[in-house]
Amino acid sequence: MKVAEFLKRITEASGVSGAEGEVGTIVAETFRTLADEVRSDVMGNVIALKRGEGLPSGEHPRVMLAGHMDEIGLMVTKVEDGFLRFTTVGGFDVRTLLGQEVLVHGRRPLRGVIGCRPPHVLTPAENERVVPLQELFIDVGYEEEPLRELVRVGDFVTVRREQIELAGGRLAAKALDDRAAVAAIGFCLDLLKKRRHQWDVCAVATVQEEVGLRGAITSAFGVAPHLGIAIDVTFGSQYGVPEYETVEMGGGPPIGLGPNFHPKVHERLVETAKALEIPYQIDPIPGRSGTDAWAIQVTREGIPTALLSIPLRYMHTPVETVDVRDIERTGHLMAEFICGLDETFASELGVQVRRLNGQGGPTCC
Amino acid sequence: MLLRELVEADGVSGCEKAVRDILIKAIEDRADEYRIDALGNLIAVKYRRSRSGAGVAKVMVAAHMDEVGLMVTKVERDGFIRFAPVGGVDPRVVVAKVVRIGEERIPGVIGVKPVHLLEPGERDRVLKFEQLAIDAGMSGEEAQRRVRPGMYASFATAFELLDEGGLRTVKGKAFDDRAGCAVLAELLAESYPFDLYAAFTVQEEVGLRGARVAAYAVEPDVAFVLEGTVCDDSPKEKDTSPTTRLGAGPALTVMDRSVICDRRLVQLLISEAEAQGIPFQVKQPGIGGTDAGAIHVQRDGIPCAVVAVPARYIHSPVSVMSLNDFENTVRLMRGTLQRLQGGLEL
Amino acid sequence: MKELIKSLVEAFGPSGSEDRVRDLIAAEVGKVAREVRTDALGNLIATVGSKGAGGRRVMLAAHMDEIGIVVSHIDAKGFVRFGGVGGVFRLALIGSRVRFADGRIGVIGSEQKRVEGDLPRLDQLFIDVGAKDRDSAPVKVGDVACFDRPFVDLGGRLVAKAMDDRIGCAVLVQVLKELGETPHEVHFVFTVQEEVGLRGAQTSAYGIDAELAIAVDVTTTGDTPEARTMAVSLGSGPAVKVKDRGMLSHPGVRRWLVETAEREGIPYQLEVLEAGTTDAAVMQTTRAGVPAGVLSIPTRYVHTPSEMVDYEDVLGAVRLLVAALRGPAEIG
């Protein structure tokens, strides 16, 4: 699989949280060529099953890989005098919106621009001020009457952006958060086609992560995995952000460490990276990880969970930037880790029960 | 003394093993069975000794093993150790304190710029975590080798008795919620007319995470949560609530940010306290949240109550509580659980 | 239906103390439903119908609880300090009256030092219950109260406290009475503790394991002077929710409601709410996910003691739900 090509297709597709249909279709088509079964659930999560050979005992423990395919976006709140008022879906920096080109997903897709008033008419004080969301509008070039026929309250809006190849194997695009992870999962499944593994793999492209991990909450419940790995992006070193808040671009996948993650799974991922001589980074997270891993871990009776990240610059803008090698390494690392999952590891992760004396045992059923 | 052992152990959220090991030893000869789940919760079971007919069959009592603390985020080349808080730590309380890092319990200090060198206005500004570092006295090379990102650090505080008579006050860290753990271990010494699931939970301080999966797994009919809770009874300008008062007995929750307690269970606790002549207090509503917040909404709903030992200065390196309150909490819980004999109209 | 609305909105029922509202509703639905039960957290669940061809297990939810206050401290002079139960709106507090479970009234006053010009914080307010000192105060720490305000019928428009969400409860009761034959197994759930975190809906949705879920709740409007931009107004019909802070409606459920309204000629509006959410947010993420939507009653002055709805919107919501539930749910 060519990561950059798959990425181009999925990042240029639209899929704002709650409306992931277009990108989901492409992901499902691709996963169908890599896995045994693909289905989508009530929320729209795309779930691919690649069967393993099973343990010697005949059991088939499942590992869930989760990368979210939704992107942050906008939504029309009102049609007003031929202009569209809008709100955000997910965490936008409103400062990035002035002068962006957008696509309004109305009865048919409409090209539009987010207008701004020219400097000539602004006072110096107005120039200093961030234009708040309530004052922004989208102009699709139509007048009020035809516009009302084409656009309704609640229609989604995405930023228009084609993938850009930068020097040194880096790419810029919109929605790399978190389609870079979807690409890493695809790459991993592709590698697994030529490998033997005992555990079943449930690869999930989740929905609605940006508005509250909602797709992971329901898909993890449905899949009920024995081990969960979330793949997300994290802050790559960039201008204007202190070094201790970032990871190295091209430095390999950061592996999460902290309360959200099972220490044995973390350890095994590190050992696997070392054995493969894949560069990796340690990513200490003292609490809430803000990723699908946070939801997966507390599903049902508790699920051993890990997080692999992909370093990414300029998060939540339409010029998110990644190093393709980091995506490939993440895929390699997952594939190798999955091939090493066996019966021993399954029992180490399971609930440990100890009976203490002969008189115990439930007295009723 | 189990309480001393528990509060002198380190168990920051996500790294509760040392506390769990102490508790396993303490309950081994009291429980019938225990299990450790995927998140690290210790769930000990004491089965009822006879079939006692209708009513409540399964009761979960929970106390959390974890405490707030710090996590190493980066070891600088010069040996200084950057850190971030785990759970709700006020950055103002960590300045000039002693900590222990990792399983090896490497000692370190959190230093601060000498007062002599402060710029005008600087001493009025609160220091942020990003401006602080742990100094373990190590060279850069040694620090890089022995201290790694992701290691936990915990306040280094000894347990001591302050007042032998009176309120029998003690000081130490992590009374929130090792006090609850110690009460719960005591409760396992007796048998009850139902199966008792003693859940020593993990990760309460980072979002009630252990209790949530434990309650889902156990599926109890009712649940109690034991806590070490806010006590703010120092003198204040305004006549407002102290949240709880030290020495005034176990604190019962009516509602907090995470739960509205089941009124039947609260009433049961009050009746038992009155019958036994145990002092009790109602905690200021609306303050804080506990594992009950996660437990009561599991599956199709679990009625919950919260009983807490008041502790001053929680979430800091040193807190103060009264052994009288602690022992009264044990008595109140023991009696209340026995009262569930006839069952609760559920 | 106005009598029903009046009795529901005037009842006492802050989150966690919904008993009286539950009793009123139980008396209304007892004769009509196949089964009525109260679950472990206090949700009232009335069930009708059974799953026929094209039918689903449907959960309809409206919350019984209202915002209120809880006593946190009584000072030496008998003044009562309090905290909020749910999102109390500070702007609406001073001079308000509160009513305790036993009917006792208190008035809300404000400290005067250090709050000049500014809106006082909750901890700068107090309730005067007419006591002379702490010992004679007729309330205790932990007692809850609701806001006290009678129901007013302005003709086309109705005003009361707790329209949020007794108006939803009234709609559900009316739908239950009018529904008749349905291919669905419909659970009418009158939930508890919505205002403090959607808690009753979370557990009842798990228990029912629904295949389709709809909440009926209030939403704000953009039709008052200098209001925040919002394309919802009073009297333009019930609103079919697209998005709020807690959920994005299932597109199929949304379409089903819209198509039903268009087929039946019922006016409706589409709603994007930028603050707040409803029980549907947790119903949607129950178990492996439930297709969920919301039918909203446009309401002015939400979370004040004078919430205003339009009666035609209410009747429209009843008609829409009855029409939808009488046929199969084509949600794709």
Side-chain angles (χ1 to χ4, degrees):
Chain A
M1 164 185 270
K2 288 272 191 335
V3 165
E5 283 172 20
F6 181 43
L7 255 186
K8 181 170 166 62
R9 292 183 64 210
I10 56 178
T11 58
E12 291 179 4
S14 55
V16 179
S17 312
E20 297 87 351
E22 183 181 327
V23 65
T25 304
I26 301 172
V27 172
E29 270 170 23
T30 308
F31 281 6
R32 220 162 260 134
T33 67
L34 304 170
D36 298 313
E37 282 171 27
V38 177
R39 64 181 175 96
S40 65
D41 70 5
V42 161
M43 299 284 284
N45 295 296
V46 171
I47 304 171
L49 170 66
K50 182 169 186 322
R51 285 197 194 82
E53 294 171 356
L55 305 182
S57 66
E59 285 169 84
H60 279 255
R62 288 177 297 282
V63 53
M64 170 172 167
L65 309 177
H68 69 90
M69 60 179 173
D70 63 315
E71 64 183 300
I72 58 171
L74 308 172
M75 182 183 274
V76 175
T77 54
K78 197 176 185 190
V79 182
E80 187 180 307
D81 305 332
F83 295 95
L84 303 176
R85 296 286 181 191
F86 61 92
T87 186
T88 55
V89 181
F92 253 107
D93 179 346
V94 175
R95 297 173 305 171
T96 64
L97 289 176
L98 277 186
Q100 287 288 5
E101 295 188 43
V102 297
L103 201 59
V104 179
H105 302 267
R107 300 239 155 145
R108 58 182 171 78
L110 300 169
R111 290 184 289 261
V113 298
I114 296 180
C116 54
R117 298 173 62 208
H120 317 69
V121 300
L122 299 178
T123 65
E126 282 173 325
N127 251 323
E128 292 288 311
R129 162 178 169 272
V130 173
V131 184
L133 189 61
Q134 302 83 278
E135 293 177 23
L136 293 172
F137 54 87
I138 296 166
D139 183 352
V140 292
Y142 280 88
E143 289 185 65
E144 176 82 7
E145 276 313 304
L147 189 57
R148 282 193 179 278
E149 290 300 308
L150 291 166
V151 182
R152 305 192 74 184
V153 168
D155 285 347
F156 287 93
V157 181
T158 48
V159 173
R160 291 175 66 198
R161 181 74 64 192
E162 287 182 6
Q163 180 171 298
I164 298 148
E165 278 187 48
L166 302 175
R170 292 186 180 173
L171 295 177
K174 75 168 176 71
L176 280 169
D177 173 5
D178 188 30
R179 308 231 174 112
V182 176
I185 292 171
F187 191 67
C188 165
L189 290 176
D190 194 37
L191 293 171
L192 286 177
K193 281 206 316 198
K194 298 163 215 109
R195 303 284 303 270
R196 301 181 62 177
H197 55 97
Q198 296 187 344
W199 285 39
D200 287 352
V201 181
C202 274
V204 186
T206 61
V207 298
Q208 299 195 29
E209 191 270 354
E210 297 289 359
V211 290
L213 319 179
R214 295 180 200 151
I217 291 170
T218 59
S219 60
F221 189 97
V223 168
H226 301 80
L227 195 169
I229 303 178
I231 304 95
D232 211 325
V233 296
T234 191
F235 309 104
S237 55
Q238 71 171 75
Y239 181 76
V241 180
E243 194 200 332
Y244 59 83
E245 287 185 12
T246 63
V247 297
E248 195 188 329
M249 293 288 288
I255 305 173
L257 183 56
N260 192 183
F261 316 113
H262 197 289
K264 283 203 177 99
V265 182
H266 171 90
E267 210 174 289
R268 178 66 77 94
L269 282 164
V270 169
E271 285 165 11
T272 309
K274 280 182 180 158
L276 273 183
E277 297 183 4
I278 292 178
Y280 67 94
Q281 314 182 52
I282 296 294
D283 189 9
I285 301 175
R288 191 182 196 92
S289 69
T291 68
D292 281 345
W294 192 245
I296 295 168
Q297 186 189 26
V298 292
T299 300
R300 293 181 181 252
E301 305 189 0
I303 295 169
T305 300
L307 174 67
L308 295 174
S309 299
I310 296 161
L312 172 142
R313 285 177 176 165
Y314 324 123
M315 198 181 291
H316 284 201
T317 73
V319 292
E320 293 177 330
T321 299
V322 292
D323 189 320
V324 176
R325 287 173 303 170
D326 286 332
I327 299 175
E328 291 168 348
R329 286 165 179 152
T330 306
H332 269 293
L333 176 56
M334 285 191 287
E336 190 66 22
F337 172 83
I338 288 165
C339 293
L341 293 174
D342 56 8
E343 190 147 36
T344 317
F345 201 64
S347 66
E348 275 178 32
L349 292 185
V351 175
Q352 316 289 315
V353 181
R354 206 181 136 204
R355 299 225 177 251
L356 293 165
N357 54 39
Q359 58 179 318
T363 51
C364 67
C365 305
Chain B
M1 186 187 193
L2 178 63
L3 181 64
R4 170 193 296 270
E5 235 189 305
L6 287 171
V7 299
E8 291 192 342
D10 298 336
V12 179
S13 313
C15 188
E16 298 87 352
K17 186 174 184 303
V19 179
R20 188 169 56 228
D21 288 346
I22 293 168
L23 284 165
I24 289 173
K25 264 200 301 179
I27 55 115
E28 250 170 348
D29 54 352
R30 297 177 179 178
D32 295 318
E33 179 188 312
Y34 72 80
R35 60 173 97 138
I36 299 167
D37 72 12
L39 267 73
N41 292 307
L42 168 66
I43 302 173
V45 195
K46 181 112 181 186
Y47 292 107
R48 65 187 125 158
R49 293 292 175 251
S50 60
R51 291 164 182 271
S52 63
V56 172
K58 212 190 258 184
V59 175
M60 177 165 132
V61 184
H64 68 90
M65 297 187 286
D66 63 314
E67 64 186 294
V68 298
L70 312 173
M71 179 184 272
V72 174
T73 53
K74 188 160 195 266
V75 182
E76 296 289 356
R77 277 183 210 96
D78 51 10
F80 286 105
I81 298 158
R82 285 188 178 276
F83 63 91
V86 180
V89 182
D90 183 339
R92 294 173 303 177
V93 306
V94 306
V95 182
K97 301 300 185 303
V98 182
V99 297
R100 301 187 282 247
I101 309 164
E103 282 174 46
E104 256 192 276
R105 307 186 99 184
I106 300 166
V109 297
I110 299 173
V112 63
K113 192 171 170 185
V115 67
H116 321 69
L117 304 181
L118 298 183
E119 305 283 339
E122 214 175 338
R123 62 172 81 193
D124 299 324
R125 276 199 296 277
V126 173
L127 289 159
K128 296 180 182 154
F129 287 112
E130 298 84 62
Q131 294 171 293
L132 297 166
I134 301 170
D135 180 356
M138 295 175 187
S139 68
E141 183 274 324
E142 189 187 1
Q144 300 263 358
R145 184 163 45 79
R146 292 179 61 197
V147 181
R148 282 178 307 281
M151 276 184 167
Y152 290 89
S154 182
F155 298 116
T157 307
F159 175 86
E160 279 170 348
L161 186 62
L162 298 180
D163 168 21
E164 289 179 37
L167 292 178
R168 294 162 66 221
T169 43
V170 291
K171 71 101 179 161
K173 66 158 181 154
F175 289 141
D176 171 13
D177 181 29
R178 306 286 157 69
C181 293
V183 172
L184 183 49
E186 285 295 323
L187 296 179
L188 277 167
E190 278 188 31
S191 296
Y192 302 92
F194 44 78
D195 298 337
L196 174 68
Y197 285 73
F200 300 94
T201 64
V202 297
Q203 298 193 27
E204 192 267 356
E205 299 290 359
V206 292
L208 321 180
R209 296 174 62 77
R212 170 174 164 157
V213 299
Y216 184 91
V218 170
E219 278 195 87
D221 298 310
V222 298
F224 291 85
V225 170
L226 304 176
E227 264 289 355
T229 199
V230 179
C231 171
D232 186 26
D233 61 355
S234 55
K236 277 186 258 356
E237 202 183 327
K238 269 195 337 195
D239 184 356
T240 56
S241 173
T243 304
T244 66
R245 272 179 220 287
L246 209 71
L252 310 183
T253 296
V254 172
M255 67 177 285
D256 64 21
R257 278 171 25 216
S258 69
V259 69
I260 294 175
C261 288
D262 187 275
R263 272 184 288 164
R264 296 160 300 186
L265 292 176
V266 176
Q267 195 46 52
L268 193 73
L269 285 158
I270 291 175
S271 310
E272 176 62 17
E274 287 172 348
Q276 278 202 59
I278 302 171
F280 72 94
Q281 50 188 326
V282 173
K283 182 187 166 187
Q284 180 186 8
I287 302 293
T290 71
D291 275 344
I295 294 169
H296 82 291
V297 289
Q298 287 312 299
R299 295 195 182 251
D300 55 353
I302 300 166
C304 264
V306 183
V307 182
V309 184
R312 291 174 179 155
Y313 330 122
I314 60 170
H315 287 215
S316 89
V318 59
S319 42
V320 168
M321 70 171 215
S322 152
L323 290 179
N324 293 354
D325 289 337
F326 175 83
E327 285 163 12
N328 279 327
T329 305
V330 175
R331 283 172 60 209
L332 175 60
M333 276 308 297
R334 215 179 249 156
T336 304
L337 290 178
Q338 294 296 0
R339 268 180 177 243
L340 279 171
Q341 174 85 53
L344 189 69
E345 288 283 306
L346 290 172
Chain C
M1 199 180 163
K2 281 183 181 176
E3 276 309 304
L4 172 66
I5 297 171
K6 180 177 185 327
S7 72
L8 286 174
V9 295
E10 290 189 343
F12 173 88
S15 311
S17 304
E18 300 90 352
D19 320 41
R20 290 177 205 180
V21 184
R22 186 166 55 232
D23 291 347
L24 281 173
I25 295 172
E28 291 284 335
V29 301
K31 288 157 278 179
V32 203
R34 167 157 63 79
E35 185 199 321
V36 180
R37 65 187 175 92
T38 301
D39 74 5
L41 256 60
N43 298 298
L44 181 75
I45 304 170
T47 306
V48 298
S50 49
K51 258 168 70 172
R56 288 172 180 257
R57 192 159 51 249
V58 179
M59 171 171 173
L60 299 180
H63 66 91
M64 297 188 287
D65 64 314
E66 65 188 296
I67 56 167
I69 63 94
V70 58
V71 174
S72 60
H73 180 66
I74 299 156
D75 75 12
K77 290 181 178 159
F79 291 100
V80 173
R81 297 284 178 168
F82 64 97
V85 176
V88 299
F89 188 31
R90 284 189 292 153
L91 207 56
L93 290 180
I94 300 170
S96 274
R97 294 178 186 186
V98 297
R99 187 167 88 227
F100 290 87
D102 61 0
R104 193 171 294 277
I105 298 290
V107 298
I108 297 181
S110 171
E111 293 178 6
Q112 292 172 351
K113 289 185 195 164
R114 289 184 288 273
V115 288
E116 288 156 40
D118 293 325
L119 188 59
R121 296 189 311 266
L122 218 53
D123 65 359
Q124 294 175 315
L125 297 171
F126 51 83
I127 296 169
D128 190 336
V129 288
K132 293 202 181 74
D133 54 28
R134 180 178 286 143
D135 293 335
S136 68
V139 298
K140 58 184 192 305
V141 172
D143 285 356
V144 293
C146 65
F147 293 95
D148 184 59
R149 202 67 68 97
F151 169 85
V152 182
D153 181 354
L154 298 176
R157 293 183 172 172
L158 312 175
V159 183
K161 74 160 180 74
M163 279 294 181
D164 174 8
D165 182 32
R166 305 283 161 71
I167 197 66
C169 295
V171 167
L172 254 52
V173 168
Q174 199 62 26
V175 170
L176 179 59
K177 289 178 177 171
E178 292 181 15
L179 182 56
E181 284 295 305
T182 172
H184 307 288
E185 175 186 317
V186 191
H187 299 268
F188 291 80
V189 186
F190 301 90
T191 62
V192 295
Q193 301 191 28
E194 192 269 357
E195 296 290 358
V196 291
L198 321 178
R199 295 177 191 156
Q202 185 174 348
T203 59
S204 53
Y206 184 94
I208 288 167
D209 193 10
E211 296 157 327
L212 172 60
I214 296 172
V216 181
D217 206 335
V218 301
T219 191
T220 57
T221 65
D223 63 349
T224 51
E226 296 296 304
R228 289 222 309 242
T229 301
M230 187 176 180
V232 171
S233 53
L234 228 57
S236 303
V240 176
K241 190 184 296 281
V242 180
K243 173 189 185 290
D244 63 26
R245 282 292 278 276
M247 85 170 315
L248 291 144
S249 298
H250 186 279
V253 175
R254 195 175 85 207
R255 203 180 315 118
W256 178 52
L257 292 173
V258 164
E259 283 170 4
T260 304
E262 287 176 352
R263 192 183 66 228
E264 300 289 324
I266 302 167
Y268 73 97
Q269 357 184 17
L270 289 169
E271 170 206 348
V272 176
L273 176 66
E274 295 189 60
T277 193
T278 74
D279 278 340
V282 291
M283 286 146 68
Q284 182 179 46
T285 53
T286 298
R287 298 184 185 241
V290 180
V294 181
L295 190 64
S296 300
I297 310 298
T299 307
R300 289 179 185 162
Y301 326 119
V302 172
H303 283 203
T304 76
S306 299
E307 297 172 331
M308 181 189 287
V309 300
D310 185 288
Y311 193 50
E312 288 300 320
D313 293 342
V314 177
L315 298 177
V318 173
R319 278 173 60 208
L320 204 169
L321 285 172
V322 168
L325 291 167
R326 278 186 183 156
E330 307 288 358
I331 62 168

